[in-house]
């Protein structure tokens, strides 16, 4: 299937969103956040507002950081749909050459689903111990670590767990994750020229390192909103979408911000207002609003990610209506002018 080259565009009011609410969101960002790089807001499948803060531009790919994780879990979902594996498969079974001689009971119990839900049983993030391993064999380093808790009983955000999902795809297919996804996800969605950082063996990092445009993030979220469908192609099964967006892990043990304590799915965070999202460091977001039939893609370079979500809930969400709104030329013109003039302030100082 060939994807539409462009998403359709329309006014916010035509899709039941007040231009004034979008403008309020943009103004709140300017007043309190200072370094959003871009956003795209989709309602009912159409782009109703979008903006890039100069020097960022629509055509430039952006580093996704941990938003990459949601793309990695999507690859696992596609592989499950293809019958290549099950979420109940033991992790050790994929790496016979890298397994320790005498695996612990907890390591034996670790499954693909435990990797997906950040519930591997490790007490803390394994990042420095895996990516700094002595022989650059990251699967072997991961499997060599103590598993302090029974898998499924202790949530900890663990980027190497996502890397292991990428490594599993490579073990099953003989190709890097990005190459596996290209004909199955990127090409059908019209996502051009994605790049993904890799380890010394050529395996995509998985937990980070994907570079794509804001438009590509929006398309990805819209595909999830459409229950895995894109045009006449079913990219991902609705059953997988439901599982990915469901809270499988209680993440209140290690998180404090309110949108990081609602539960964790298959490399997606549950959020307030019955939303779910992929997100990454410094404010990379793909937020799916099932009740509002909307998607919000954001790229950023900031520290306080909760503040961005607070602006979404406080300024943007109240502007949604169940039906189309009367045209509001004054508010829409003000929004259009604002979006056309977005720019990051020049840094001050020596």
């Amino acid at each position: 299937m060939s994807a539409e080259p462009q998403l359709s565009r329309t006014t916010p009011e035509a899709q039941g969103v007040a231009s004034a609410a979008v403008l309020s969101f943009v103004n709140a960002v300017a007043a309190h956040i200072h370094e959003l790089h871009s956003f795209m807001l989709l309602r009912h499948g159409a782009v109703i507002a979008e903006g890039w803060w100069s020097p960022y531009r629509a055509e430039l790919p952006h580093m996704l950081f941990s938003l990459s994780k949601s793309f990695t879990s999507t690859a696992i979902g596609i592989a499950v749909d293809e019958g290549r594996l099950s979420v109940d498969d033991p992790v050790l079974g994929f790496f016979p050459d890298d397994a320790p001689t005498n695996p612990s009971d907890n390591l034996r119990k670790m499954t693909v689903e435990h990797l997906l839900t950040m519930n591997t049983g490790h007490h803390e993030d394994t990042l420095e111990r895996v990516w700094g391993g002595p022989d650059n064999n990251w699967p072997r380093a991961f499997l060599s670590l103590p598993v302090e808790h029974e898998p499924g009983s202790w949530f900890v955000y663990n980027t190497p767990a996502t890397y292991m999902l990428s490594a599993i795809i490579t073990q099953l297919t003989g190709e890097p994750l990005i190459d596996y996804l290209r004909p199955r996800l990127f090409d059908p969605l019209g996502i051009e020229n994605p790049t993904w950082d890799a380890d010394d063996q050529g395996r995509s990092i998985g937990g980070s390192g994907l570079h794509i445009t804001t438009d590509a993030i929006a398309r990805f979220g819209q595909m999830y909103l459409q229950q895995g469908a894109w045009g006449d192609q079913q990219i991902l099964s609705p059953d997988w979408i439901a599982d990915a967006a469901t809270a499988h892990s209680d993440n209140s043990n290690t998180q404090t911000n309110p949108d990081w304590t609602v539960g964790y799915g298959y490399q997606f965070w549950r959020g307030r207002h019955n939303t779910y999202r992929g997100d990454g460091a410094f404010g990379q977001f793909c937020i799916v609003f099932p009740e509002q039939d909307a998607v919000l893609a954001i790229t950023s370079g900031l520290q306080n990610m909760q503040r961005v979500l607070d602006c979404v809930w406080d300024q943007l969400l109240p502007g949604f209506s169940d039906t189309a709104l009367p045209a509001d030329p004054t508010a829409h013109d003000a929004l259009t002018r604002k979006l056309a003039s977005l720019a990051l302030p020049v840094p001050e100082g020596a």
Side-chain angles (χ1 to χ4, degrees):
M1 185 200 88
S2 61
E4 289 296 322
Q6 298 289 335
L7 294 165
S8 63
R9 264 78 179 168
T10 185
T11 65
E13 280 76 16
Q15 303 301 331
V17 180
S19 291
V22 183
L23 182 58
S24 178
F25 167 74
V26 175
N27 286 335
V29 165
H32 302 297
I33 294 175
H34 307 305
E35 197 159 337
L36 247 62
H37 295 162
S38 71
F39 83 98
M40 289 180 67
L41 178 61
L42 281 63
R43 183 98 196 270
H44 306 322
V47 180
I48 61 171
E50 57 190 324
W52 284 262
W53 279 258
S54 179
Y56 291 89
R57 303 193 304 273
E59 67 273 18
L60 296 179
H62 200 283
M63 170 64 159
L64 298 198
F65 296 94
S66 285
L67 176 51
S68 308
K69 291 177 168 67
S70 301
F71 289 79
T72 301
S73 76
T74 298
I76 294 292
I78 293 171
V80 168
D81 289 343
E82 291 177 347
R84 295 176 182 265
L85 80 164
S86 160
V87 297
D88 297 322
D89 289 344
V91 175
L92 278 175
F94 297 100
F95 303 96
D97 296 334
D98 296 314
T101 304
N102 295 302
S104 67
D105 288 343
N106 283 345
L107 181 56
R108 292 179 187 276
K109 292 176 182 177
M110 190 190 300
T111 66
V112 172
E113 184 165 46
H114 295 133
L115 298 175
L116 287 164
T117 60
M118 297 295 187
N119 235 313
T120 58
H122 296 105
H123 186 72
E124 59 186 14
D125 185 11
T126 63
L127 182 63
E128 292 184 2
R129 291 176 287 169
V130 171
W131 290 11
D135 60 357
N136 281 327
N137 185 325
W138 295 355
R140 183 175 299 166
F142 182 88
L143 297 173
S144 72
L145 298 176
V147 183
E148 297 90 344
H149 305 273
E150 183 175 356
S153 68
W154 179 258
F155 173 88
V156 66
Y157 197 68
N158 190 0
T159 292
T162 318
Y163 165 79
M164 292 297 286
L165 295 171
S166 173
I168 285 171
I169 291 293
T170 300
Q171 290 292 100
L172 289 171
T173 68
E175 58 185 352
L177 175 67
I178 189 171
D179 291 343
Y180 176 76
L181 281 178
R182 190 169 281 112
R184 294 168 172 85
L185 178 71
F186 296 130
D187 290 348
L189 292 186
I191 296 174
E192 298 179 351
N193 303 317
T195 61
W196 211 320
D197 298 344
D199 69 4
D200 288 350
Q201 285 72 43
R203 290 176 287 232
S204 303
I205 300 299
S208 188
L210 178 60
H211 300 73
I212 55 175
T213 63
T214 315
D215 177 89
I217 299 169
R219 289 167 182 258
F220 177 72
Q222 186 65 30
M223 182 271 291
Y224 265 81
L225 185 63
Q226 293 170 177
Q227 297 298 300
W230 190 265
D232 59 3
Q233 187 168 347
Q234 192 70 37
I235 292 173
L236 202 55
S237 71
D239 287 345
W240 182 267
I241 300 281
D243 283 340
T246 296
H248 295 274
S249 294
D250 177 359
N251 56 356
S252 61
N253 62 331
T254 60
Q255 307 293 321
T256 55
N257 289 327
D259 280 291
W260 279 265
T261 60
V262 190
Y264 193 81
Y266 286 174
Q267 309 283 293
F268 285 90
W269 298 87
R270 291 296 306 177
R272 289 179 291 171
H273 307 287
N274 194 32
T275 60
Y276 67 94
R277 70 187 186 279
D279 72 32
F282 312 113
Q284 325 315 317
F285 291 105
C286 180
I287 309 170
V288 181
F289 304 72
E291 292 181 358
Q292 289 78 22
D293 193 32
V295 171
L296 179 60
I298 293 174
T299 64
S300 315
L302 51 87
Q303 291 294 332
N304 190 335
M305 293 172 62
Q306 182 63 59
R307 183 171 286 178
V308 178
L309 295 177
D310 289 343
C311 287
V312 173
W313 313 141
D314 296 344
Q315 310 297 329
L316 191 57
L317 196 57
F320 280 76
S321 173
D322 292 336
T323 58
L325 297 173
D328 188 345
T330 300
H332 186 250
D333 287 349
L335 174 62
T336 300
R337 290 194 301 271
K338 182 69 174 181
L339 295 178
S341 65
L342 297 176
L344 295 179
V346 177
E348 298 179 355

